[in-house]
Amino acid sequence: MSTQADTIILNGKLLTMDPDKPRADAIALAGGRILAVGTTAEIEALAGPDTRRIDAAGGSVLPGFSENHMHLFSGAAELDHLQLSGLRGFDALKAAVLDYAAARPGDSMIFGQGTDYPILGEKERLTRHHLDAILADRPIALFAPDHHTGWANTKALELSGILHGRDVGPGNEIVMGEDGLATGELREMQAFDPVQIAGGFSRYRLGLATGGEPNPYPTEAEFAIDMDVMRRGLNYCARHGITTIQCMDGNLYQLELLSAVEKADGGLPCRVMVPFHFKNFMDTAMLDKAVTMRERYNSEWLKSGTVKFFYDGVLDSWTAVMVEPYADNPDATVEPLFQPERFKELAIEADRRGLQIAVHAIGDGAVRAVLDGYEAARQANGARDSRHRVEHIEVVHPDDIKRFAALGVIASMQPPHVPGFTGVPLAPTVDIIGEARWPVSYAWRTLKNAGARICFASDWPVSPIDPLLGIQTAVTRTPWAAGNPDQSFTLSEAIEAYTAEGAYAGFTEDRNGRLKPGFFADIVILDQDVEAVDPSRLGTVKPAMTICGGRVTFSQQ
C-alpha cells in the first residue's frame, strides 16, 4: 500500500469500532483502503500535493453502514409506487389513491406500498369493496409494509384470475368471502403473485416470488431499464451512508444486472451480496444453482454464496408459526412453508455444499424449527464456521435463546420493526403476540446477553432504509410493560450491529466494518456528532458524505 494518502479526512469525531483504537481525530485513505487512523498531525504527515482533504466539520466519522437484510431490486422499483406509510382513514386513502392515479393515467395497475394493517381502524380490515368505492374501473393493488399481505380491488382480482379463488401453496391464502368471491385480502406471496404479474411488476420480485429467472429473458431495452432501477436503488443506499448491502432475496438475473452496472459505470457504489432464494416447491438439486451463483460471482464488490429460505409468514396476518396459539386468535391454523423434517434435509444439503443459510423466521415456532435444522446440519456434516442466520426473530421461545450461541448462529434483526417505535403502531401486533410473550419479543438484548452475534438491518422496503433511524430505535427502545426486560442497545452496540457485526455476518470482518489500517476505505461522514445528539433525535442525523472503496459515492455538497 502507498505511504502517501489519496484522501485525508480531518476535523471528525472518529468512532472506529476497532477495540484496539476506538477513537481518533483523522483518517488517511490510499488505493481504496485505509492507510492510517490517528491524530490530525499524524494524518497530515501522510498528505502530498495531490491529496484530497475532506473536512468532517465536527461530525461523526464511522465505518460505512452494512445493510444486513434488504431487498434491493424490488425496493428500488417500489420507490416509484404510491407511498402510504402512516396514512389513516378511508378518506385519506381515497384522496391519496385518486391523486396518484390521476397523475399516472397510463399505468396498467395502481400499486401502493406501506399500507398499515389498521389503516381503516383496529376493528376493520381492508377489502376489495373499500377499494372499489375509491376506484372501480382501474386495477388497484396495495401492500402491507411487511410485504406479506396485499389488498386488491375487484378489477385487479378479475384481471389476475383470482376473484373466484385459486389453490395456493402452504402458508398462503386468498381470503374468501361468504359470497364465494375473494374479499381482496391476499396473504403471502403465492396469493398475491398473480396480481403483480398482471400489473407488470413480477420481474422485480422474481427473487422473492420464485427464485427463478425472467422468462422470456428481457429484451435489450428492458435490461437497460432494469439496470437503471438497480442504479436507483444503489444510489438510494449510498445516500443513507450504506456501503455494504446483504440482499435477502435473489436470483441469477439480479447478479447479471449488477455486474452489467459495475462494468458500464466503472464500479458499484456499494458492495452487494445476492443470495439464491430457495422456494418450497423446488427440488433439493436446485441448491446447486446457489453453488453456481457463488462460483460465478465472488469478488469484493459482488458476490453470492448464501441460500435464503422463508419458513413462515408474519404476525399481523396470523401466518407466523408459533409454539403456542395466538393470543387474539387461538383457533388460527398456521402451516409452515417447509415441514420441519423437509427443512432439516435442506439445511443438511445446503450446509454440505458450503453455503451460508439465512431463513426468515418470525414466530417462535419457526425460529425453533430453523435452529433444529441447523443442529441437524452440524450433526450430519460436522461443525464448521458456517455463520448460518435466522432473520427477524420477532418472538423467540425462552428454551431456544441459548441455542444461537451454542450453534454459532447469527441473529439478524430489524429495529424498525418493533411496534410502538419509528412510526410503527402498537396494535394489532402486540395483541397478536400476547402479553405473556412480550418479554421474548424482538429480544435483541436478551439474545446478545446469551452470547448471540447480532446484526441489524431495515428489511427495506418493508421499513425505512435509514440506519440512523434503526440506531435511534435500538438506543431509545423501552419495554411495553413494567417488568419486561430492557432490550435497548448502547449507541456503540447499535452502531456495531450496523457495521462490524454486518461484516462478520458477511465473512469480511478481517477487512471491513471497522476504521482500521488495511481495511476497506468504506466510510460515512455524518453531519452531526452522534454522541452529542439527544438519542431521541438520532434519526435527524444525516450522511454528509459516503465513501466506498475510497471513492465518494454520495455527498451533500
Side-chain angles (χ1 to χ4, degrees):
M1 185 184 292
S2 171
T3 57
Q4 182 172 297
D6 301 332
T7 302
I8 60 174
I9 302 171
L10 307 169
N11 194 24
K13 303 289 181 67
L14 273 69
L15 299 178
T16 68
M17 299 296 111
D18 178 4
D20 295 330
K21 192 173 188 176
R23 297 174 184 273
D25 302 318
I27 186 169
L29 318 178
R33 299 266 181 163
I34 295 171
L35 178 61
V37 177
T39 66
T40 300
E42 289 169 338
I43 300 305
E44 283 277 18
L46 299 171
D50 298 323
T51 298
R52 177 180 183 178
R53 286 173 163 79
I54 296 173
D55 183 359
S60 294
V61 180
L62 310 176
F65 294 124
S66 181
E67 222 310 337
N68 302 309
H69 182 123
M70 59 106 76
H71 306 280
L72 177 62
F73 196 29
S74 60
E78 287 178 16
L79 289 171
D80 200 36
H81 289 176
L82 172 61
Q83 304 299 316
L84 296 168
S85 178
L87 187 143
R88 291 287 186 278
F90 178 80
D91 291 341
L93 175 61
K94 179 177 180 179
V97 170
L98 291 178
D99 286 349
Y100 182 84
R104 306 174 73 93
D107 285 8
S108 60
M109 186 174 293
I110 304 302
F111 285 114
Q113 304 294 337
T115 312
D116 287 329
Y117 285 90
I119 192 169
L120 301 181
E122 295 179 13
K123 296 182 179 180
E124 187 174 9
R125 302 281 286 199
L126 191 63
T127 70
R128 65 183 171 93
H129 303 294
H130 295 109
L131 299 179
D132 289 346
I134 294 172
L135 197 62
D137 60 351
R138 291 182 66 183
I140 303 171
L142 309 182
F143 295 91
D146 57 32
H147 290 64
H148 284 261
T149 301
W151 296 272
N153 69 350
T154 303
K155 191 78 170 178
L157 294 168
E158 290 175 337
L159 186 66
S160 309
I162 58 173
L163 179 61
H164 297 276
R166 178 185 295 181
D167 290 336
V168 290
N172 299 262
E173 182 183 5
I174 297 171
V175 179
M176 303 300 292
E178 294 180 358
D179 60 359
L181 301 177
T183 67
E185 182 170 338
L186 308 168
R187 298 177 181 174
E188 300 301 327
M189 282 178 265
Q190 290 180 48
F192 56 68
D193 280 348
V195 174
Q196 296 193 320
I197 292 170
F201 193 68
S202 60
R203 198 161 69 235
Y204 303 109
R205 282 186 56 87
L206 277 176
L208 271 169
T210 72
E213 310 305 323
N215 186 18
Y217 198 81
T219 64
E220 185 176 340
E222 290 170 334
F223 192 88
I225 290 170
D226 291 351
M227 285 176 65
D228 283 341
V229 171
M230 275 296 195
R231 287 186 179 101
R232 183 196 310 163
L234 290 165
N235 292 332
Y236 190 71
C237 290
R239 277 175 48 196
H240 289 88
I242 294 165
T243 56
T244 298
I245 296 167
Q246 298 187 39
C247 293
M248 280 297 140
D249 67 275
N251 54 2
L252 188 58
Y253 184 61
Q254 291 186 44
L255 287 161
E256 291 169 344
L257 284 169
L258 288 160
S259 181
V261 171
E262 182 179 28
K263 182 177 180 180
D265 297 356
L268 293 169
C270 305
R271 305 176 195 276
V272 188
M273 188 284 292
V274 177
F276 170 59
H277 185 183
F278 190 100
K279 301 289 288 187
N280 58 1
F281 50 77
M282 293 178 176
D283 293 331
T284 305
M286 282 297 290
L287 289 170
D288 292 337
K289 182 177 178 179
V291 176
T292 299
M293 290 167 63
R294 178 183 62 194
E295 291 172 347
R296 290 188 191 176
Y297 298 94
N298 191 26
S299 76
E300 299 287 19
W301 289 93
L302 183 59
K303 67 179 181 179
S304 193
T306 300
V307 59
K308 168 73 184 300
F309 297 85
F310 276 79
Y311 193 88
D312 67 346
V314 293
L315 294 164
D316 292 275
S317 59
W318 303 284
T319 53
V321 175
M322 309 297 285
V323 173
E324 299 293 337
Y326 281 98
D328 70 330
N329 189 6
D331 296 326
T333 301
V334 183
E335 191 171 1
L337 298 176
F338 293 89
Q339 290 301 314
E341 290 306 312
R342 173 59 175 158
F343 180 74
K344 287 180 183 179
E345 294 172 4
L346 291 166
I348 290 168
E349 286 301 310
D351 182 77
R352 186 176 63 80
R353 288 165 169 81
L355 297 164
Q356 185 185 37
I357 306 170
V359 187
H360 166 117
I362 295 280
D364 54 4
V367 173
R368 173 172 292 176
V370 173
L371 292 173
D372 288 346
Y374 293 161
E375 187 170 18
R378 175 175 284 201
Q379 291 171 351
N381 302 324
R384 67 180 182 91
D385 186 17
S386 57
R387 304 189 196 182
H388 297 323
R389 305 165 48 140
V390 184
E391 309 297 317
H392 308 309
I393 319 168
E394 295 189 357
V395 184
V396 60
H397 194 279
D399 293 348
D400 296 317
I401 289 168
K402 293 183 178 180
R403 297 179 70 194
F404 282 82
L407 293 169
V409 173
I410 294 169
S412 170
M413 307 182 79
Q414 294 70 44
H417 286 189
V418 180
F421 300 89
T422 326
V424 179
L426 280 170
T429 312
V430 294
D431 297 322
I432 290 171
I433 293 170
E435 191 170 350
R437 285 187 287 236
W438 288 355
V440 287
S441 298
Y442 310 88
W444 324 315
R445 169 59 62 192
T446 298
L447 285 164
K448 186 175 180 65
N449 287 350
R453 302 293 293 256
I454 311 285
C455 65
F456 279 162
S458 69
D459 197 13
W460 184 73
V462 170
S463 297
I465 200 171
D466 188 354
L468 276 305
L469 280 175
I471 290 170
Q472 175 181 306
T473 299
V475 172
T476 62
R477 182 179 168 192
T478 55
W480 290 325
N484 285 180
D486 180 3
Q487 300 291 355
S488 66
F489 271 30
T490 67
L491 178 61
S492 179
E493 288 171 333
I495 293 172
E496 186 177 46
Y498 278 102
T499 56
E501 289 297 319
Y504 178 82
F507 293 91
T508 61
E509 74 276 10
D510 62 338
R511 58 195 182 277
N512 201 6
R514 305 184 195 277
L515 302 183
K516 185 174 182 178
F519 276 47
F520 294 148
D522 295 359
I523 296 166
V524 59
I525 304 171
L526 302 178
D527 64 2
Q528 299 176 61
D529 176 359
V530 291
E531 293 184 295
V533 173
D534 185 289
S536 66
R537 298 186 66 255
L538 282 165
T540 68
V541 178
K542 302 300 177 187
M545 181 177 288
T546 307
I547 298 170
C548 191
R551 182 166 58 95
V552 175
T553 55
F554 167 76
S555 177
Q556 283 186 357
Q557 299 177 350

